[in-house]
PDB file of all heavy atoms in Angstrom:
ATOM      1  N   ASN A  46      16.721  13.856  13.237  1.00 98.00           N
ATOM      2  CA  ASN A  46      17.025  13.381  11.877  1.00 98.00           C
ATOM      3  C   ASN A  46      16.880  14.512  10.871  1.00 98.00           C
ATOM      4  O   ASN A  46      16.441  14.294   9.748  1.00 98.00           O
ATOM      5  CB  ASN A  46      16.087  12.215  11.506  1.00 98.00           C
ATOM      6  CG  ASN A  46      16.608  10.862  11.960  1.00 98.00           C
ATOM      7  OD1 ASN A  46      17.530  10.800  12.765  1.00 98.00           O
ATOM      8  ND2 ASN A  46      16.031   9.794  11.447  1.00 98.00           N
ATOM      9  N   ASN A  53      15.208  14.870   2.170  1.00 95.00           N
ATOM     10  CA  ASN A  53      14.121  14.198   1.464  1.00 95.00           C
ATOM     11  C   ASN A  53      12.941  15.122   1.178  1.00 95.00           C
ATOM     12  O   ASN A  53      12.189  14.885   0.246  1.00 95.00           O
ATOM     13  CB  ASN A  53      13.676  12.956   2.232  1.00 95.00           C
ATOM     14  CG  ASN A  53      14.662  11.811   2.062  1.00 95.00           C
ATOM     15  OD1 ASN A  53      15.122  11.535   0.953  1.00 95.00           O
ATOM     16  ND2 ASN A  53      15.023  11.161   3.151  1.00 95.00           N
ATOM     17  N   GLN A 161      -1.912   3.644  -1.461  1.00 93.00           N
ATOM     18  CA  GLN A 161      -2.165   4.796  -2.320  1.00 93.00           C
ATOM     19  C   GLN A 161      -1.123   5.006  -3.410  1.00 93.00           C
ATOM     20  O   GLN A 161      -1.423   5.584  -4.451  1.00 93.00           O
ATOM     21  CB  GLN A 161      -2.253   6.052  -1.462  1.00 93.00           C
ATOM     22  CG  GLN A 161      -3.499   6.014  -0.587  1.00 93.00           C
ATOM     23  CD  GLN A 161      -3.797   7.358   0.009  1.00 93.00           C
ATOM     24  OE1 GLN A 161      -2.896   8.045   0.476  1.00 93.00           O
ATOM     25  NE2 GLN A 161      -5.062   7.736  -0.022  1.00 93.00           N
ATOM     26  N   ASN A 162       0.116   4.579  -3.168  1.00 93.00           N
ATOM     27  CA  ASN A 162       1.172   4.883  -4.143  1.00 93.00           C
ATOM     28  C   ASN A 162       1.801   3.657  -4.784  1.00 93.00           C
ATOM     29  O   ASN A 162       2.434   3.780  -5.817  1.00 93.00           O
ATOM     30  CB  ASN A 162       2.303   5.687  -3.490  1.00 93.00           C
ATOM     31  CG  ASN A 162       1.831   7.039  -3.037  1.00 93.00           C
ATOM     32  OD1 ASN A 162       0.784   7.511  -3.460  1.00 93.00           O
ATOM     33  ND2 ASN A 162       2.597   7.665  -2.164  1.00 93.00           N
ATOM     34  N   THR A 165      -1.240   0.845  -6.772  1.00 96.00           N
ATOM     35  CA  THR A 165      -2.133   1.616  -7.641  1.00 96.00           C
ATOM     36  C   THR A 165      -2.623   0.864  -8.871  1.00 96.00           C
ATOM     37  O   THR A 165      -3.674   1.206  -9.385  1.00 96.00           O
ATOM     38  CB  THR A 165      -1.436   2.911  -8.079  1.00 96.00           C
ATOM     39  OG1 THR A 165      -0.094   2.581  -8.480  1.00 96.00           O
ATOM     40  CG2 THR A 165      -1.394   3.914  -6.951  1.00 96.00           C
ATOM     41  N   PRO A 166      -1.898  -0.142  -9.388  1.00 97.00           N
ATOM     42  CA  PRO A 166      -2.468  -0.864 -10.532  1.00 97.00           C
ATOM     43  C   PRO A 166      -3.442  -1.955 -10.102  1.00 97.00           C
ATOM     44  O   PRO A 166      -3.986  -2.649 -10.945  1.00 97.00           O
ATOM     45  CB  PRO A 166      -1.251  -1.529 -11.204  1.00 97.00           C
ATOM     46  CG  PRO A 166      -0.051  -1.020 -10.495  1.00 97.00           C
ATOM     47  CD  PRO A 166      -0.511  -0.560  -9.157  1.00 97.00           C
ATOM     48  N   GLU A 167      -3.632  -2.116  -8.809  1.00 97.00           N
ATOM     49  CA  GLU A 167      -4.342  -3.274  -8.290  1.00 97.00           C
ATOM     50  C   GLU A 167      -5.808  -2.999  -7.980  1.00 97.00           C
ATOM     51  O   GLU A 167      -6.160  -1.928  -7.495  1.00 97.00           O
ATOM     52  CB  GLU A 167      -3.683  -3.743  -6.977  1.00 97.00           C
ATOM     53  CG  GLU A 167      -2.272  -4.251  -7.141  1.00 97.00           C
ATOM     54  CD  GLU A 167      -2.209  -5.560  -7.908  1.00 97.00           C
ATOM     55  OE1 GLU A 167      -3.098  -6.395  -7.713  1.00 97.00           O
ATOM     56  OE2 GLU A 167      -1.266  -5.726  -8.697  1.00 97.00           O
ATOM     57  N   ASN A 308      -5.522  -8.225  -7.092  1.00 97.00           N
ATOM     58  CA  ASN A 308      -5.915  -9.191  -8.131  1.00 97.00           C
ATOM     59  C   ASN A 308      -4.775  -9.521  -9.088  1.00 97.00           C
ATOM     60  O   ASN A 308      -4.803 -10.550  -9.749  1.00 97.00           O
ATOM     61  CB  ASN A 308      -7.162  -8.735  -8.898  1.00 97.00           C
ATOM     62  CG  ASN A 308      -6.922  -7.555  -9.811  1.00 97.00           C
ATOM     63  OD1 ASN A 308      -6.060  -6.714  -9.534  1.00 97.00           O
ATOM     64  ND2 ASN A 308      -7.679  -7.447 -10.884  1.00 97.00           N
ATOM     65  N   MET A 314       2.688  -8.734   2.402  1.00 96.00           N
ATOM     66  CA  MET A 314       2.490  -8.456   3.810  1.00 96.00           C
ATOM     67  C   MET A 314       3.437  -7.376   4.298  1.00 96.00           C
ATOM     68  O   MET A 314       4.581  -7.285   3.846  1.00 96.00           O
ATOM     69  CB  MET A 314       2.660  -9.692   4.676  1.00 96.00           C
ATOM     70  CG  MET A 314       2.056  -9.440   6.065  1.00 96.00           C
ATOM     71  SD  MET A 314       2.084 -10.854   7.166  1.00 96.00           S
ATOM     72  CE  MET A 314       3.690 -10.651   7.889  1.00 96.00           C
ATOM     73  N   TYR A 316       4.857  -5.485   7.912  1.00 95.00           N
ATOM     74  CA  TYR A 316       5.032  -5.878   9.307  1.00 95.00           C
ATOM     75  C   TYR A 316       5.903  -4.845  10.016  1.00 95.00           C
ATOM     76  O   TYR A 316       6.874  -4.357   9.437  1.00 95.00           O
ATOM     77  CB  TYR A 316       5.723  -7.252   9.288  1.00 95.00           C
ATOM     78  CG  TYR A 316       6.320  -7.738  10.570  1.00 95.00           C
ATOM     79  CD1 TYR A 316       5.598  -8.563  11.412  1.00 95.00           C
ATOM     80  CD2 TYR A 316       7.613  -7.379  10.932  1.00 95.00           C
ATOM     81  CE1 TYR A 316       6.158  -9.029  12.594  1.00 95.00           C
ATOM     82  CE2 TYR A 316       8.175  -7.844  12.112  1.00 95.00           C
ATOM     83  CZ  TYR A 316       7.436  -8.668  12.939  1.00 95.00           C
ATOM     84  OH  TYR A 316       7.991  -9.119  14.093  1.00 95.00           O
ATOM     85  N   SER A 327       7.554   8.780  13.276  1.00 97.00           N
ATOM     86  CA  SER A 327       8.224   8.659  11.979  1.00 97.00           C
ATOM     87  C   SER A 327       7.201   8.658  10.847  1.00 97.00           C
ATOM     88  O   SER A 327       7.408   9.284   9.799  1.00 97.00           O
ATOM     89  CB  SER A 327       9.055   7.375  11.957  1.00 97.00           C
ATOM     90  OG  SER A 327       9.707   7.215  10.716  1.00 97.00           O
ATOM     91  N   ALA A 331       6.897  11.306   7.855  1.00 98.00           N
ATOM     92  CA  ALA A 331       6.891  10.889   6.437  1.00 98.00           C
ATOM     93  C   ALA A 331       5.779  11.630   5.698  1.00 98.00           C
ATOM     94  O   ALA A 331       5.947  12.071   4.556  1.00 98.00           O
ATOM     95  CB  ALA A 331       6.705   9.383   6.328  1.00 98.00           C
ATOM     96  N   ARG A 338       6.842  17.948  -0.402  1.00 95.00           N
ATOM     97  CA  ARG A 338       7.154  17.592  -1.792  1.00 95.00           C
ATOM     98  C   ARG A 338       5.999  17.913  -2.741  1.00 95.00           C
ATOM     99  O   ARG A 338       6.199  18.033  -3.945  1.00 95.00           O
ATOM    100  CB  ARG A 338       7.414  16.080  -1.889  1.00 95.00           C
ATOM    101  CG  ARG A 338       8.746  15.612  -1.336  1.00 95.00           C
ATOM    102  CD  ARG A 338       8.739  14.085  -1.413  1.00 95.00           C
ATOM    103  NE  ARG A 338      10.043  13.496  -1.139  1.00 95.00           N
ATOM    104  CZ  ARG A 338      10.280  12.186  -1.175  1.00 95.00           C
ATOM    105  NH1 ARG A 338       9.300  11.337  -1.456  1.00 95.00           N
ATOM    106  NH2 ARG A 338      11.479  11.708  -0.923  1.00 95.00           N
ATOM    107  N   ASN A 339       4.805  17.953  -2.202  1.00 94.00           N
ATOM    108  CA  ASN A 339       3.620  18.117  -3.050  1.00 94.00           C
ATOM    109  C   ASN A 339       2.819  19.352  -2.670  1.00 94.00           C
ATOM    110  O   ASN A 339       1.591  19.328  -2.664  1.00 94.00           O
ATOM    111  CB  ASN A 339       2.733  16.867  -2.952  1.00 94.00           C
ATOM    112  CG  ASN A 339       3.406  15.656  -3.580  1.00 94.00           C
ATOM    113  OD1 ASN A 339       3.371  15.484  -4.797  1.00 94.00           O
ATOM    114  ND2 ASN A 339       4.050  14.830  -2.753  1.00 94.00           N
ATOM    115  N   ARG A 342      -0.715  20.767  -4.285  1.00 93.00           N
ATOM    116  CA  ARG A 342      -1.580  19.776  -4.940  1.00 93.00           C
ATOM    117  C   ARG A 342      -1.984  18.680  -3.965  1.00 93.00           C
ATOM    118  O   ARG A 342      -1.208  18.240  -3.117  1.00 93.00           O
ATOM    119  CB  ARG A 342      -0.905  19.184  -6.172  1.00 93.00           C
ATOM    120  CG  ARG A 342       0.307  18.354  -5.894  1.00 93.00           C
ATOM    121  CD  ARG A 342       0.714  17.684  -7.192  1.00 93.00           C
ATOM    122  NE  ARG A 342       1.697  16.642  -6.943  1.00 93.00           N
ATOM    123  CZ  ARG A 342       2.109  15.806  -7.879  1.00 93.00           C
ATOM    124  NH1 ARG A 342       1.633  15.899  -9.093  1.00 93.00           N
ATOM    125  NH2 ARG A 342       2.998  14.879  -7.597  1.00 93.00           N
TER     126      ARG A 342
ATOM    127  N   ASN B  46      -6.719  -4.194 -15.771  1.00 98.00           N
ATOM    128  CA  ASN B  46      -7.059  -3.323 -14.638  1.00 98.00           C
ATOM    129  C   ASN B  46      -7.104  -1.857 -15.078  1.00 98.00           C
ATOM    130  O   ASN B  46      -6.702  -0.972 -14.339  1.00 98.00           O
ATOM    131  CB  ASN B  46      -6.017  -3.498 -13.526  1.00 98.00           C
ATOM    132  CG  ASN B  46      -6.356  -4.636 -12.577  1.00 98.00           C
ATOM    133  OD1 ASN B  46      -7.219  -5.461 -12.867  1.00 98.00           O
ATOM    134  ND2 ASN B  46      -5.679  -4.692 -11.439  1.00 98.00           N
ATOM    135  N   ASN B  53      -6.075   5.897 -10.900  1.00 95.00           N
ATOM    136  CA  ASN B  53      -4.971   6.285 -10.030  1.00 95.00           C
ATOM    137  C   ASN B  53      -3.925   7.138 -10.741  1.00 95.00           C
ATOM    138  O   ASN B  53      -3.212   7.906 -10.101  1.00 95.00           O
ATOM    139  CB  ASN B  53      -4.326   5.040  -9.407  1.00 95.00           C
ATOM    140  CG  ASN B  53      -5.190   4.484  -8.283  1.00 95.00           C
ATOM    141  OD1 ASN B  53      -5.686   5.230  -7.450  1.00 95.00           O
ATOM    142  ND2 ASN B  53      -5.406   3.176  -8.274  1.00 95.00           N
ATOM    143  N   ARG B 158       9.847   1.945  -3.310  1.00 95.00           N
ATOM    144  CA  ARG B 158       8.935   3.048  -3.008  1.00 95.00           C
ATOM    145  C   ARG B 158       8.878   3.307  -1.491  1.00 95.00           C
ATOM    146  O   ARG B 158       8.816   4.455  -1.063  1.00 95.00           O
ATOM    147  CB  ARG B 158       7.553   2.666  -3.533  1.00 95.00           C
ATOM    148  CG  ARG B 158       6.683   3.842  -3.794  1.00 95.00           C
ATOM    149  CD  ARG B 158       5.490   3.423  -4.626  1.00 95.00           C
ATOM    150  NE  ARG B 158       5.592   3.843  -5.991  1.00 95.00           N
ATOM    151  CZ  ARG B 158       6.068   3.111  -6.983  1.00 95.00           C
ATOM    152  NH1 ARG B 158       6.486   1.886  -6.758  1.00 95.00           N
ATOM    153  NH2 ARG B 158       6.112   3.594  -8.192  1.00 95.00           N
ATOM    154  N   GLN B 161      11.950   5.205  -0.590  1.00 94.00           N
ATOM    155  CA  GLN B 161      12.004   6.562  -1.139  1.00 94.00           C
ATOM    156  C   GLN B 161      10.876   7.478  -0.681  1.00 94.00           C
ATOM    157  O   GLN B 161      11.045   8.690  -0.639  1.00 94.00           O
ATOM    158  CB  GLN B 161      12.003   6.490  -2.656  1.00 94.00           C
ATOM    159  CG  GLN B 161      13.289   5.859  -3.182  1.00 94.00           C
ATOM    160  CD  GLN B 161      13.470   6.100  -4.646  1.00 94.00           C
ATOM    161  OE1 GLN B 161      12.532   5.960  -5.412  1.00 94.00           O
ATOM    162  NE2 GLN B 161      14.676   6.466  -5.043  1.00 94.00           N
ATOM    163  N   ASN B 162       9.725   6.890  -0.364  1.00 93.00           N
ATOM    164  CA  ASN B 162       8.583   7.752  -0.031  1.00 93.00           C
ATOM    165  C   ASN B 162       8.059   7.593   1.378  1.00 93.00           C
ATOM    166  O   ASN B 162       7.349   8.454   1.868  1.00 93.00           O
ATOM    167  CB  ASN B 162       7.411   7.479  -0.979  1.00 93.00           C
ATOM    168  CG  ASN B 162       7.733   7.838  -2.404  1.00 93.00           C
ATOM    169  OD1 ASN B 162       8.673   8.589  -2.662  1.00 93.00           O
ATOM    170  ND2 ASN B 162       6.979   7.312  -3.331  1.00 93.00           N
ATOM    171  N   THR B 165      11.272   8.181   4.605  1.00 96.00           N
ATOM    172  CA  THR B 165      12.004   9.428   4.345  1.00 96.00           C
ATOM    173  C   THR B 165      12.506  10.134   5.602  1.00 96.00           C
ATOM    174  O   THR B 165      13.488  10.868   5.510  1.00 96.00           O
ATOM    175  CB  THR B 165      11.123  10.386   3.536  1.00 96.00           C
ATOM    176  OG1 THR B 165       9.812  10.383   4.107  1.00 96.00           O
ATOM    177  CG2 THR B 165      11.039   9.939   2.091  1.00 96.00           C
ATOM    178  N   PRO B 166      11.871   9.978   6.771  1.00 97.00           N
ATOM    179  CA  PRO B 166      12.446  10.632   7.953  1.00 97.00           C
ATOM    180  C   PRO B 166      13.565   9.806   8.586  1.00 97.00           C
ATOM    181  O   PRO B 166      14.135  10.218   9.589  1.00 97.00           O
ATOM    182  CB  PRO B 166      11.264  10.720   8.940  1.00 97.00           C
ATOM    183  CG  PRO B 166      10.069  10.255   8.212  1.00 97.00           C
ATOM    184  CD  PRO B 166      10.550   9.408   7.091  1.00 97.00           C
ATOM    185  N   GLU B 167      13.856   8.657   8.021  1.00 97.00           N
ATOM    186  CA  GLU B 167      14.737   7.705   8.702  1.00 97.00           C
ATOM    187  C   GLU B 167      16.177   7.762   8.206  1.00 97.00           C
ATOM    188  O   GLU B 167      16.438   7.947   7.024  1.00 97.00           O
ATOM    189  CB  GLU B 167      14.223   6.276   8.440  1.00 97.00           C
ATOM    190  CG  GLU B 167      12.882   5.982   9.057  1.00 97.00           C
ATOM    191  CD  GLU B 167      12.919   5.954  10.570  1.00 97.00           C
ATOM    192  OE1 GLU B 167      13.907   5.447  11.119  1.00 97.00           O
ATOM    193  OE2 GLU B 167      11.960   6.435  11.191  1.00 97.00           O
ATOM    194  N   ASN B 308      16.571   4.274  12.182  1.00 97.00           N
ATOM    195  CA  ASN B 308      17.002   4.686  13.521  1.00 97.00           C
ATOM    196  C   ASN B 308      15.841   5.194  14.378  1.00 97.00           C
ATOM    197  O   ASN B 308      15.946   5.226  15.602  1.00 97.00           O
ATOM    198  CB  ASN B 308      18.135   5.727  13.446  1.00 97.00           C
ATOM    199  CG  ASN B 308      17.705   7.087  12.954  1.00 97.00           C
ATOM    200  OD1 ASN B 308      16.770   7.193  12.150  1.00 97.00           O
ATOM    201  ND2 ASN B 308      18.367   8.129  13.411  1.00 97.00           N
ATOM    202  N   MET B 314       9.138  -5.012   8.168  1.00 96.00           N
ATOM    203  CA  MET B 314       9.397  -6.043   7.174  1.00 96.00           C
ATOM    204  C   MET B 314       8.364  -6.005   6.071  1.00 96.00           C
ATOM    205  O   MET B 314       7.191  -5.715   6.307  1.00 96.00           O
ATOM    206  CB  MET B 314       9.435  -7.440   7.779  1.00 96.00           C
ATOM    207  CG  MET B 314      10.082  -8.406   6.798  1.00 96.00           C
ATOM    208  SD  MET B 314      10.289 -10.085   7.422  1.00 96.00           S
ATOM    209  CE  MET B 314       8.716 -10.772   7.018  1.00 96.00           C
ATOM    210  N   TYR B 316       6.966  -8.262   2.680  1.00 95.00           N
ATOM    211  CA  TYR B 316       6.921  -9.673   2.278  1.00 95.00           C
ATOM    212  C   TYR B 316       5.998  -9.834   1.085  1.00 95.00           C
ATOM    213  O   TYR B 316       4.949  -9.189   1.036  1.00 95.00           O
ATOM    214  CB  TYR B 316       6.413 -10.441   3.496  1.00 95.00           C
ATOM    215  CG  TYR B 316       5.951 -11.846   3.260  1.00 95.00           C
ATOM    216  CD1 TYR B 316       6.824 -12.913   3.453  1.00 95.00           C
ATOM    217  CD2 TYR B 316       4.648 -12.112   2.871  1.00 95.00           C
ATOM    218  CE1 TYR B 316       6.383 -14.219   3.259  1.00 95.00           C
ATOM    219  CE2 TYR B 316       4.205 -13.414   2.671  1.00 95.00           C
ATOM    220  CZ  TYR B 316       5.084 -14.464   2.873  1.00 95.00           C
ATOM    221  OH  TYR B 316       4.662 -15.748   2.680  1.00 95.00           O
ATOM    222  N   SER B 327       2.963  -5.768 -12.096  1.00 97.00           N
ATOM    223  CA  SER B 327       2.222  -4.813 -11.262  1.00 97.00           C
ATOM    224  C   SER B 327       3.166  -3.727 -10.734  1.00 97.00           C
ATOM    225  O   SER B 327       2.815  -2.538 -10.700  1.00 97.00           O
ATOM    226  CB  SER B 327       1.547  -5.552 -10.109  1.00 97.00           C
ATOM    227  OG  SER B 327       0.842  -4.656  -9.279  1.00 97.00           O
ATOM    228  N   ARG B 338       1.683  10.651 -12.713  1.00 95.00           N
ATOM    229  CA  ARG B 338       1.310  11.612 -11.671  1.00 95.00           C
ATOM    230  C   ARG B 338       2.344  12.717 -11.525  1.00 95.00           C
ATOM    231  O   ARG B 338       2.045  13.783 -10.996  1.00 95.00           O
ATOM    232  CB  ARG B 338       1.216  10.884 -10.319  1.00 95.00           C
ATOM    233  CG  ARG B 338      -0.019  10.020 -10.127  1.00 95.00           C
ATOM    234  CD  ARG B 338       0.152   9.300  -8.782  1.00 95.00           C
ATOM    235  NE  ARG B 338      -1.065   8.634  -8.346  1.00 95.00           N
ATOM    236  CZ  ARG B 338      -1.139   7.937  -7.210  1.00 95.00           C
ATOM    237  NH1 ARG B 338      -0.079   7.824  -6.425  1.00 95.00           N
ATOM    238  NH2 ARG B 338      -2.266   7.358  -6.862  1.00 95.00           N
ATOM    239  N   ASN B 339       3.578  12.432 -11.903  1.00 94.00           N
ATOM    240  CA  ASN B 339       4.669  13.378 -11.666  1.00 94.00           C
ATOM    241  C   ASN B 339       5.346  13.784 -12.972  1.00 94.00           C
ATOM    242  O   ASN B 339       6.559  13.903 -13.036  1.00 94.00           O
ATOM    243  CB  ASN B 339       5.694  12.751 -10.716  1.00 94.00           C
ATOM    244  CG  ASN B 339       5.125  12.573  -9.319  1.00 94.00           C
ATOM    245  OD1 ASN B 339       5.079  13.514  -8.534  1.00 94.00           O
ATOM    246  ND2 ASN B 339       4.655  11.368  -9.021  1.00 94.00           N
ATOM    247  N   ARG B 342       8.582  16.320 -13.563  1.00 93.00           N
ATOM    248  CA  ARG B 342       9.492  16.452 -12.424  1.00 93.00           C
ATOM    249  C   ARG B 342      10.099  15.110 -12.036  1.00 93.00           C
ATOM    250  O   ARG B 342       9.430  14.076 -12.047  1.00 93.00           O
ATOM    251  CB  ARG B 342       8.813  17.106 -11.225  1.00 93.00           C
ATOM    252  CG  ARG B 342       7.713  16.288 -10.613  1.00 93.00           C
ATOM    253  CD  ARG B 342       7.275  16.991  -9.335  1.00 93.00           C
ATOM    254  NE  ARG B 342       6.453  16.132  -8.509  1.00 93.00           N
ATOM    255  CZ  ARG B 342       6.078  16.450  -7.294  1.00 93.00           C
ATOM    256  NH1 ARG B 342       6.447  17.598  -6.755  1.00 93.00           N
ATOM    257  NH2 ARG B 342       5.326  15.637  -6.590  1.00 93.00           N
TER     258      ARG B 342
END
Side-chain angles (χ1 to χ4, degrees):
Chain A
N46 273 14
N53 284 315
Q161 292 194 317
N162 295 343
T165 45
E167 295 291 322
N308 71 330
M314 196 176 87
Y316 165 94
S327 179
R338 285 175 170 181
N339 292 278
R342 66 172 192 172
Chain B
N46 273 14
N53 284 315
R158 203 166 255 94
Q161 293 195 316
N162 296 342
T165 45
E167 294 292 321
N308 71 329
M314 196 176 86
Y316 165 95
S327 179
R338 285 175 169 179
N339 292 279
R342 66 173 194 172

